[in-house]
Amino acid sequence: MASVVEYKGLKAGYHCGYCDSAAGKASCGMWAHSMTVQDYQDLIDRGWRRSGRYVYKPVMNQTCCPQYTIRCRSLQFQPSKSHKKVLKKMLKFLAKGEISKGNCEDEPMEPSMEDAVAGDMALINKLDLQCDLNLQESLEREVKKKGKSTKKEESNEFIQSQDKNEELGSGEPSHAVDVHTAPKPGKGADLSKPPCRKAKEIRKERKRLKLMQQSPAGGPEGFQAPREPKTKPNQPKSLEELIFESLPEDASHKLEVRLVPVSFEDPEFKSSLSQSFSLYVKYQMAIHQDPPEECGKTEFTGFLCTSPLEPENPPNGPDCGYGSFHQQYWLDGKIIAVGVIDILPYCVSSVYLYYDPDYSFLSLGVYSALREIAFTRQLHEKASQLSYYYMGFYIHSCPKMRYKGHYRPSDLLCPETYVWVPIEQCLPSLENSKYCRFNQDPEAADEGRSRDPDRLQVLYKKAILPYGVFKQQQREPGEEAAVLQYASLVGQACSERMLLFRN
């Protein structure tokens, strides 16, 4: 199936959530009725981003806060000291129920602030969503797509059934987890119970057994010690070893991460939707101070439960296939966080994160990003081309958004030539100017630029025809300028594959 899009043109002079400018933002956008994962991969490699079905590209040399696409090279990623503290904090909480007092000194910012912007799409997505929320009904009348009516009925069914399930998804922590009070000091160990082995002691014991096995006289014949992770002596632990460190059998809590496709036809997605929606409302109201009317069921389904990406499951792809997913974090049988991600041919792209504010002490924004990097590496084992983790936009002019640059090694996308440049090479230029061309070769041009607009594909009255033929039939004022602008932004390859809907 080909991608079908409707170009909406330039939208300028609206409020910016980053610098609070009343009319400083500028972006071009299009409504995607459907989109292949390859087309979207190529678009985000040209600076585009999606919010639900709305796909937009900031006008970088015009907007008040230039937004540079950032990607992390996940295969070379090494967690920083602050990242390790977050992972250890989670392990201590799961193992013993310990709640860390205060904040990690080496974290780039206060956890509440860091978590609030961990899914930086919140601000721009909300703006674009509110401006284009009314598009779907009018556009769906033009392009009849298989399954649309079914999905809409199921979406309405979900909305109507919310009140029945409100109690299930209240978003409140279970009674087994008292997150508001720290453990009471001074009581000491319960001598009536067997002593609890610490994770550190278990690791020491494993190391001792391994040494015994390696020594000719270190242990009984035929004895085999438990297998240790493949880490050389004096080398730092890998991200996976830090995340999946074994917990004691009597661990206080159980954390499970589930990957659920964004589809109203998926039973697991439908069954968890009520709880997921309640969590979203709680997060938006507590973290972003949204009034209830701005985080309703319509916004939730349109923003986070609707995607133009057509699922694909090729034989050489990951087992879960490509498309849009919710990565749900279940703690003791309850959802405490949801990471919305797109799995594409070359990357895992982070769309949004929402979580239970009662668990802010776990730095879930950082923790989920590290889990998504590890997940990218896992997918790479089956799909060798998939090796990058896209973190949305890096906004150097907004200090609270600079934390994304701490996931190294990472690259920024040059806004003129669309080549990737290591972030270390970009930062000196960004200190001097908000808008920068990162490619240092003055002769370099956009290799994927539109060279032959007449080859662009147009969908008109249910017929597909090249723009060179279509323009001979049209004399609408401004039509050619809009099409040429679209072609220049999406590039030649996408303009020839995607169908530009015209009415």
Side-chain angles (χ1 to χ4, degrees):
M1 174 180 278
S3 302
V4 179
V5 300
E6 183 164 358
Y7 186 59
K8 306 306 294 181
L10 175 67
K11 185 168 63 177
Y14 61 102
H15 175 258
C16 174
Y18 298 114
C19 67
D20 207 29
S21 167
K25 295 210 77 166
S27 67
C28 294
M30 56 188 174
W31 190 262
H33 297 276
S34 65
M35 186 167 285
T36 66
V37 291
Q38 185 61 60
D39 284 341
Y40 186 55
Q41 175 72 68
D42 290 349
L43 286 175
I44 62 174
D45 284 336
R46 293 183 64 83
W48 290 81
R49 203 80 185 151
R50 79 172 183 88
S51 167
R53 292 185 178 274
Y54 187 67
V55 188
Y56 62 95
K57 184 182 191 304
V59 182
M60 298 290 281
N61 59 357
Q62 184 179 334
T63 192
C64 54
C65 296
Q67 297 150 269
Y68 299 92
T69 303
I70 183 170
R71 73 178 187 184
C72 171
R73 283 173 260 152
S74 70
L75 302 186
Q76 291 82 41
F77 173 78
Q78 286 293 335
S80 68
K81 188 177 178 182
S82 64
H83 294 152
K84 292 176 182 177
K85 285 186 176 181
V86 170
L87 295 175
K88 288 177 181 177
K89 181 166 56 176
M90 175 63 81
L91 286 171
K92 285 182 179 179
F93 174 71
L94 295 176
K96 304 175 186 178
E98 285 187 12
I99 299 172
S100 300
K101 295 180 180 178
N103 303 323
C104 291
E105 295 175 4
D106 295 319
E107 285 187 343
M109 58 192 72
E110 296 293 319
S112 58
M113 176 62 76
E114 182 165 81
D115 291 343
V117 295
D120 69 300
M121 299 299 289
L123 301 167
I124 191 163
N125 274 343
K126 282 162 59 66
L127 293 170
D128 285 325
L129 182 68
Q130 289 163 0
C131 291
D132 293 272
L133 200 59
N134 61 343
L135 279 175
Q136 192 168 6
E137 289 185 5
S138 61
L139 295 178
E140 283 178 351
R141 288 197 295 268
E142 302 292 341
V143 181
K144 294 181 180 179
K145 186 178 163 192
K146 285 184 181 180
K148 281 262 175 139
S149 58
T150 307
K151 289 183 181 179
K152 191 171 181 182
E153 286 170 12
E154 290 175 341
S155 176
N156 290 336
E157 180 186 328
F158 152 63
I159 291 172
Q160 291 165 2
S161 66
Q162 286 300 313
D163 295 335
K164 299 177 185 177
N165 298 308
E166 208 66 43
E167 204 169 330
L168 170 68
S170 65
E172 293 298 323
S174 61
H175 294 296
V177 187
D178 184 2
V179 299
H180 299 292
T181 58
K184 293 181 180 179
K187 288 193 174 182
D190 186 349
L191 299 178
S192 64
K193 296 179 181 178
C196 175
R197 295 186 68 195
K198 293 184 177 180
K200 189 174 181 181
E201 292 173 357
I202 295 172
R203 291 197 300 272
K204 284 183 178 179
E205 178 69 10
R206 285 179 179 169
K207 189 173 181 180
R208 187 180 68 82
L209 291 172
K210 186 177 181 181
L211 291 171
M212 287 172 62
Q213 183 188 13
Q214 292 171 349
S215 171
E221 186 179 349
F223 176 82
Q224 290 191 350
R227 291 187 63 187
E228 281 284 304
K230 296 178 181 179
T231 304
K232 294 180 181 178
N234 301 323
Q235 277 200 350
K237 285 187 176 181
S238 69
L239 175 63
E240 289 76 10
E241 288 171 321
L242 291 166
I243 291 175
F244 301 111
E245 188 170 316
S246 58
L247 294 171
E249 291 184 6
D250 59 347
S252 298
H253 304 290
K254 180 184 178 183
L255 179 68
E256 182 184 359
V257 180
R258 301 179 191 172
L259 187 70
V260 182
V262 175
S263 170
F264 287 101
E265 297 171 6
D266 183 84
E268 195 170 355
F269 182 77
K270 286 183 71 175
S271 65
S272 61
L273 211 49
S274 175
Q275 191 178 165
S276 187
F277 168 65
S278 297
L279 180 64
Y280 165 79
V281 173
K282 187 176 183 180
Y283 170 81
Q284 294 296 129
M285 292 179 65
I287 301 299
H288 294 292
Q289 286 80 50
D290 283 358
E293 60 271 16
E294 288 186 14
C295 45
K297 295 159 189 171
T298 303
E299 286 79 8
F300 174 67
T301 52
F303 173 26
L304 298 173
C305 302
T306 307
S307 170
L309 300 186
E310 296 294 334
E312 295 180 26
N313 207 335
N316 61 341
D319 293 335
C320 59
Y322 300 115
S324 298
F325 297 84
H326 281 191
Q327 201 161 42
Q328 301 173 339
Y329 294 78
W330 290 75
L331 180 70
D332 302 331
K334 185 192 69 169
I335 302 176
I336 64 163
V338 177
V340 184
I341 59 173
D342 293 328
I343 300 178
L344 304 174
Y346 308 137
C347 73
V348 169
S349 175
S350 176
V351 179
Y352 197 65
L353 173 81
Y354 55 100
Y355 61 87
D356 191 333
D358 290 340
Y359 295 88
S360 293
F361 64 89
L362 290 174
S363 300
L364 291 171
V366 180
Y367 182 77
S368 65
L370 296 172
R371 289 293 298 245
E372 288 170 7
I373 291 173
F375 181 55
T376 305
R377 287 150 66 133
Q378 178 189 334
L379 296 178
H380 171 77
E381 294 177 6
K382 176 72 188 296
S384 59
Q385 287 184 309
L386 201 166
S387 60
Y388 297 102
Y389 175 58
Y390 283 47
M391 297 176 279
F393 289 128
Y394 175 83
I395 308 170
H396 193 77
S397 58
C398 180
K400 68 183 180 183
M401 297 306 300
R402 294 184 185 181
Y403 73 95
K404 292 187 178 184
H406 296 171
Y407 294 84
R408 303 286 180 96
S410 57
D411 309 302
L412 297 183
L413 186 67
C414 176
E416 295 181 11
T417 62
Y418 303 111
V419 297
W420 294 98
V421 181
I423 192 170
E424 295 86 353
Q425 298 177 26
C426 305
L427 294 179
S429 301
L430 289 172
E431 286 295 324
N432 296 324
S433 174
K434 287 195 296 186
Y435 173 75
C436 298
R437 171 194 167 108
F438 299 136
N439 193 327
Q440 297 300 309
D441 181 2
E443 303 298 321
D446 170 17
E447 293 296 329
R449 66 187 179 277
S450 174
R451 300 171 188 267
D452 188 358
D454 284 353
R455 292 169 60 90
L456 180 150
Q457 296 296 295
V458 174
L459 177 64
Y460 179 64
K461 292 184 177 179
K462 299 185 180 179
I464 300 171
L465 60 161
Y467 178 64
V469 176
F470 172 77
K471 70 179 181 181
Q472 295 174 7
Q473 307 172 12
Q474 294 296 309
R475 293 292 181 268
E476 290 283 336
E479 172 75 22
E480 185 171 13
V483 173
L484 292 178
Q485 184 183 61
Y486 159 82
S488 69
L489 295 174
V490 303
Q492 186 69 32
C494 280
S495 72
E496 290 189 35
R497 290 197 307 257
M498 301 195 305
L499 304 180
L500 177 64
F501 176 76
R502 310 303 287 172
N503 56 9

